[in-house]
Amino acid sequence: MVLCLYFKSIVLVHKSDVLILGSGIAGLTTAIQLAKLRSDISITVVSKTNIEETNTKYAQGGISAVWNHEIDDFEKHIADTLDAGDDLCDPKIVKLVVEEGPKRVQELIDWGTNFDKNNAKNNYDLAREGGHTEARILHYRDLTGAEIERALIEKVAQFSNVKILEHYYAIDLLTQHHLGYNVTRITPDIECYGAYLLDLKSLDVETHLARITVIATGGAGQIYRSTTNPVIATGDGIAMMYRAKGVVENMEFVQFHPTSLYNPAGDNPSFLISEAVRGFGAVLKSKDGNEFMQKYDDRQSLAPRDIVARAIDSELKARGDEFVCLDCRHLDKEEFIKHFPTIYNKCKSVGIDPLEQMIPVVPACHYLCGGIQVDENGKTSIDRLYAGGECTSTGLHGANRLASNSLLEGAVYGHRIATDISNHIDQINYNTQIPEWNAFGTTEPKEMVLITQSIKELKDIMSYYVGIVRSNVRLKRALDRMHLLYSETEELYNLTVLSPQLCELRNLITIGYLVTRSASMRKESRGLHFTTDYPDKHSFKQNTLL
Ligand code: FAD
Ligand code: SIN
């Protein structure tokens, strides 16, 4: 084998008081709120592509919050969240997020976000989604995430102490391990001193020192063949946390959205047909036009996602069909197009008029409920390290996230993390002993096919064996195959020069392994985790900590 190693001698050490990995709702809310509180500290926000390319940008349905107190109250939103979470939510965290929700949504509005209004009364138009007993979703057409991301990007640009680094890839967190200590999962007081960042344009690795680091790197949908998540969603932050020996939990709870557009061409990502479409009156039917959700739940098409996705999976297996359908033909055409212009246009672009024909849909991986364990202020098990947004396990979602609670969680935690950092950063100094990245440089991989093929294999393993319905045999098969992929990839990583593609592959394998191992550890069916070997729920609540 020809190894392409070359030496780089440039000194690449940078510093910021606070280093935020990620520019979605969690990362940017943290940056804005912190910059407002502390104009005296330097903040760097890192994005591995351009600043707006985030899961946040693709959010369609909206953000949930108790808004109309004539029909809704905190108790109802709390009860819906707990019910969806199938007894694994932390009630204290649910209460905290729900009660802070309206203030954070108001803040998004104050920072320039537009939400649709109801013309008659000039009130916000509140939508309903699965699992919500009231209409409480604020939205901007079917482009809510793009609108929020636009407003946050414009707002953050107003602060001179915030620097945005686009096309920088965080490789690993800096800890005592980089000072030569043997850090294990039981080492107390692990500390984070920043991160190694790969400049994707020059392919230089920078040592970025920080007094405090925040992981806000989003989800990991790319471990599956079919996902609504953009290609950036490779679970990097969670994998870095695991490598740094921090605590990660509840990884078995992967949410499959019931209705992604059936996509025989295998487009990545799959296009989402928002749950708000069902909230608007669309009905799930089999290909032959018969409703089936009444067999599974009284709430029918608007049952929580885990129930609807499993029902579709069961119908597809029983009938041998490739897809089920979403029937919108009875809905008001003008109103439909007004509310869902992106969905309407996408359907038209693939030859389906949703007001004339049923839309073919299938479940697709959509959201990771587990992740980096954090407390109510976003503090992780590692000192000087916070985490917020989809990469975390806060206790809000439990075993299944309630629709539109994710943007809310990102905004609430972004605010809380910023406040906590502002109160504690003065007691923390840089650690300047961290060595620079080892001298070997980085380059584009010579054997790209090894990486792309391994990614494909991982996605196949996860899709066949760790999908909506699991079993002991399937999970074991997945773990066995993943071990081989893991050792091949580590060998590649140790022998060849670093590349972003190889880093992503390593992270995807780590996430696939964590999901599969957590699923193997949970000997019951609960929320999004269903296994034919243990179809019942246990009466005790158990977290899977890794
Ligand atoms: P993201 O918005 O995903 O941002 C991640 C950031 O991390 C990006 O900037 C990325 O570049 C950066 N990053 C990642 N890895 C690295 C690395 N190694 N180095 C440097 N930077 C890195 N939720 C709702 O509440 N309501 C909805 O209506 C809704 N609709 C959705 C529709 C779709 C199609 C999808 C995919 C998700 C939807 N969700 C919705 C979920 C929600 O959008 C996400 O959970 C949420 O936006 C995540 O925000 P975040 O800030 O945690 O991460
Ligand atoms: C959707 O619009 O259906 C997605 C909502 C969510 O994931 O919360």
Side-chain angles (χ1 to χ4, degrees):
M1 183 168 33
V2 179
L3 294 183
C4 169
L5 303 177
Y6 62 98
F7 188 82
K8 290 200 172 171
S9 58
I10 313 156
V11 177
L12 296 164
V13 180
H14 295 262
K15 277 183 177 177
S16 355
D17 293 321
V18 178
L19 175 66
I20 301 174
L21 307 175
S23 60
I25 190 166
L28 290 184
T29 306
T30 306
I32 294 167
Q33 181 60 18
L34 188 55
K36 276 177 66 187
L37 292 170
R38 297 289 299 259
S39 57
D40 58 323
I41 62 172
S42 58
I43 302 165
T44 298
V45 177
V46 184
S47 159
K48 70 174 172 181
T49 59
N50 50 52
I51 184 171
E52 74 265 17
E53 189 55 13
T54 57
N55 270 16
T56 300
K57 178 180 132 182
Y58 294 93
Q60 290 185 356
I63 183 165
S64 61
V66 174
W67 206 258
N68 180 351
H69 287 270
E70 284 173 21
I71 55 155
D72 202 4
D73 56 43
F74 291 141
E75 280 64 40
K76 287 187 194 169
H77 191 180
I78 290 170
D80 292 347
T81 304
L82 293 172
D83 181 51
D86 207 2
D87 294 330
L88 207 68
C89 303
D90 179 341
K92 187 181 90 210
I93 296 297
V94 174
K95 184 170 184 313
L96 173 158
V97 173
V98 165
E99 292 184 355
E100 281 186 27
K103 283 183 249 165
R104 299 292 77 85
V105 171
Q106 184 57 52
E107 204 161 64
L108 289 173
I109 295 168
D110 295 343
W111 292 348
T113 308
N114 295 301
F115 292 113
D116 287 344
K117 289 196 167 169
N118 174 324
N119 291 340
K121 296 189 183 156
N122 204 28
N123 292 333
Y124 285 107
D125 180 44
L126 302 174
R128 252 189 91 185
E129 289 179 4
H132 288 272
T133 50
E134 296 296 346
R136 61 170 78 93
I137 320 289
L138 290 100
H139 58 94
Y140 180 75
R141 300 180 199 143
D142 53 4
L143 289 165
T144 311
E147 172 57 15
I148 291 176
E149 188 67 18
R150 177 203 62 75
L152 292 177
I153 291 170
E154 281 177 29
K155 185 71 191 173
V156 81
Q158 293 171 10
F159 297 94
S160 57
N161 57 332
V162 181
K163 180 175 174 189
I164 308 289
L165 281 186
E166 297 185 294
H167 304 285
Y168 273 77
Y169 183 95
I171 302 167
D172 263 320
L173 300 169
L174 306 172
T175 67
Q176 290 98 325
H177 167 77
H178 299 94
L179 298 171
Y181 295 101
N182 181 25
V183 176
T184 69
R185 266 178 221 294
I186 54 165
T187 305
D189 305 326
I190 306 175
E191 292 181 341
C192 177
Y193 310 120
Y196 284 128
L197 300 182
L198 172 59
D199 176 342
L200 293 173
K201 290 191 172 143
S202 67
L203 293 180
D204 293 325
V205 179
E206 297 183 1
T207 306
H208 203 113
L209 300 178
R211 292 158 75 192
I212 289 180
T213 305
V214 182
I215 307 180
T217 46
Q222 289 293 325
I223 55 173
Y224 287 93
R225 251 189 341 222
S226 171
T227 176
T228 62
N229 292 191
V231 294
I232 57 135
T234 51
D236 299 344
I238 302 171
M240 282 191 271
M241 182 68 177
Y242 189 70
R243 279 198 293 276
K245 315 291 185 212
V247 177
V248 170
E249 68 180 3
N250 289 342
M251 292 291 284
E252 67 273 39
F253 298 116
V254 176
Q255 185 168 70
F256 284 77
H257 197 292
T259 58
S260 75
L261 184 61
Y262 174 60
N263 166 24
D267 294 346
N268 184 16
S270 299
F271 183 78
L272 180 72
I273 308 290
S274 174
E275 200 154 298
V277 175
R278 276 175 282 139
F280 193 71
V283 177
L284 281 165
K285 295 186 176 170
S286 55
K287 255 166 116 174
D288 54 15
N290 291 315
E291 291 185 34
F292 57 83
M293 275 309 300
Q294 72 284 354
K295 289 192 272 175
Y296 300 92
D297 195 282
D298 290 345
R299 291 162 285 187
Q300 302 195 18
S301 291
L302 278 177
R305 269 181 206 170
D306 54 339
I307 296 170
V308 183
R310 249 187 329 267
I312 295 176
D313 186 69
S314 152
E315 289 292 314
L316 294 179
K317 283 179 178 149
R319 293 163 182 273
D321 288 344
E322 301 259 283
F323 55 83
V324 295
C325 294
L326 199 54
D327 194 352
C328 308
R329 293 172 298 177
H330 55 291
L331 302 176
D332 182 280
K333 182 168 184 172
E334 210 172 299
E335 284 295 310
F336 185 94
I337 296 172
K338 193 171 119 200
H339 279 85
F340 308 113
T342 321
I343 293 172
Y344 179 78
N345 287 331
K346 174 70 187 182
C347 289
K348 290 283 276 185
S349 77
V350 295
I352 298 159
D353 182 337
L355 282 314
E356 303 285 337
Q357 294 149 280
M358 296 199 293
I359 309 173
V361 291
V362 284
C365 173
H366 183 65
Y367 185 84
L368 184 57
C369 293
I372 300 167
Q373 188 193 52
V374 292
D375 72 5
E376 71 274 15
N377 292 316
K379 283 172 91 162
T380 72
S381 62
I382 295 183
D383 289 344
R384 306 162 164 234
L385 181 66
Y386 291 72
E390 188 167 340
C391 64
T392 63
S393 173
T394 60
L396 176 66
H397 308 310
N400 175 40
R401 175 180 66 105
L402 183 67
S404 289
N405 265 359
S406 171
L407 292 173
L408 180 70
E409 183 188 51
V412 167
Y413 273 84
H415 193 99
R416 295 183 78 84
I417 290 169
T419 309
D420 207 65
I421 291 177
S422 161
N423 292 336
H424 292 103
I425 192 163
D426 295 327
Q427 287 93 57
I428 298 171
N429 287 320
Y430 290 104
N431 186 320
T432 51
Q433 306 305 310
I434 294 288
E436 283 183 53
W437 182 257
N438 77 36
F440 291 119
T442 59
T443 185
E444 292 298 326
K446 289 277 174 276
E447 288 249 53
M448 190 60 197
V449 64
L450 295 178
I451 294 173
T452 50
Q453 188 56 28
S454 293
I455 291 177
K456 186 175 168 303
E457 274 177 48
L458 176 79
K459 285 172 182 259
D460 284 346
I461 293 169
M462 293 303 293
S463 306
Y464 288 130
Y465 304 128
V466 203
I468 294 173
V469 174
R470 299 160 180 180
S471 70
N472 285 343
V473 175
R474 290 181 196 203
L475 294 175
K476 177 166 183 320
R477 196 172 264 212
L479 280 176
D480 288 348
R481 279 154 180 69
M482 246 179 265
H483 274 129
L484 180 62
L485 266 184
Y486 171 78
S487 40
E488 283 172 359
T489 305
E490 287 305 295
E491 199 178 318
L492 204 60
Y493 188 81
N494 292 328
L495 285 180
T496 60
V497 282
L498 187 75
S499 75
Q501 296 88 344
L502 187 53
C503 291
E504 279 191 349
L505 169 62
R506 276 185 101 205
N507 292 338
L508 287 166
I509 292 173
T510 302
I511 301 296
Y513 165 76
L514 292 175
V515 170
T516 311
R517 207 179 119 210
S518 304
S520 310
M521 287 161 70
R522 185 167 288 282
K523 309 287 185 206
E524 63 164 349
S525 291
R526 182 191 289 273
L528 295 159
H529 174 68
F530 183 84
T531 158
T532 52
D533 290 299
Y534 313 99
D536 300 322
K537 190 163 99 174
H538 284 165
S539 51
F540 65 91
K541 299 181 190 178
Q542 149 215 9
N543 272 25
T544 44
L545 292 181
L546 295 161

